[in-house]
Amino acid sequence: MKLFGKLFASQSLITWILQIIFIGLAWKVADHTIPNNLMTIIGGTLLMIIIYVSLAHDSKKRISDK
């Protein structure tokens, strides 16, 4: 689990993975692979909140490591 906490370009690997998943979700909606409905919007919103929390945690970790 420490592997996911390591910082790469000031972000943890878990944050990078979450952002790639979000890009994939947006791509699938743009290609009409998945429908653009309320469940997709809620899923994207929850994913963005998790990314935000992860970035805040990374920032706090970066400050405490100094």
Side-chain angles (χ1 to χ4, degrees), residues 25-26 28-42:
L25 177 69
K28 287 187 178 288
V29 169
D31 283 346
H32 303 290
T33 306
I34 57 175
N36 185 10
N37 58 17
L38 185 61
M39 291 305 292
T40 307
I41 294 170
I42 291 172

Side-chain angles (χ1 to χ4, degrees), residues 13-33:
L13 290 178
I14 192 71
T15 304
W16 284 104
I17 292 169
L18 289 169
Q19 290 174 0
I20 290 169
I21 291 170
F22 186 74
I23 291 169
L25 177 69
W27 195 305
K28 287 187 178 288
V29 169
D31 283 346
H32 303 290
T33 306

Side-chain angles (χ1 to χ4, degrees), residues 1-63:
M1 200 61 190
K2 287 197 172 224
L3 176 67
F4 289 120
K6 295 213 182 214
L7 296 180
F8 176 72
S10 298
Q11 295 180 10
S12 64
L13 290 178
I14 192 71
T15 304
W16 284 104
I17 292 169
L18 289 169
Q19 290 174 0
I20 290 169
I21 291 170
F22 186 74
I23 291 169
L25 177 69
W27 195 305
K28 287 187 178 288
V29 169
D31 283 346
H32 303 290
T33 306
I34 57 175
N36 185 10
N37 58 17
L38 185 61
M39 291 305 292
T40 307
I41 294 170
I42 291 172
T45 303
L46 291 175
L47 193 56
M48 283 299 296
I49 291 170
I50 294 169
I51 291 170
Y52 177 77
V53 169
S54 180
L55 284 170
H57 183 281
D58 294 346
S59 176
K60 192 178 287 188
K61 183 178 178 185
R62 224 181 23 243
I63 290 172

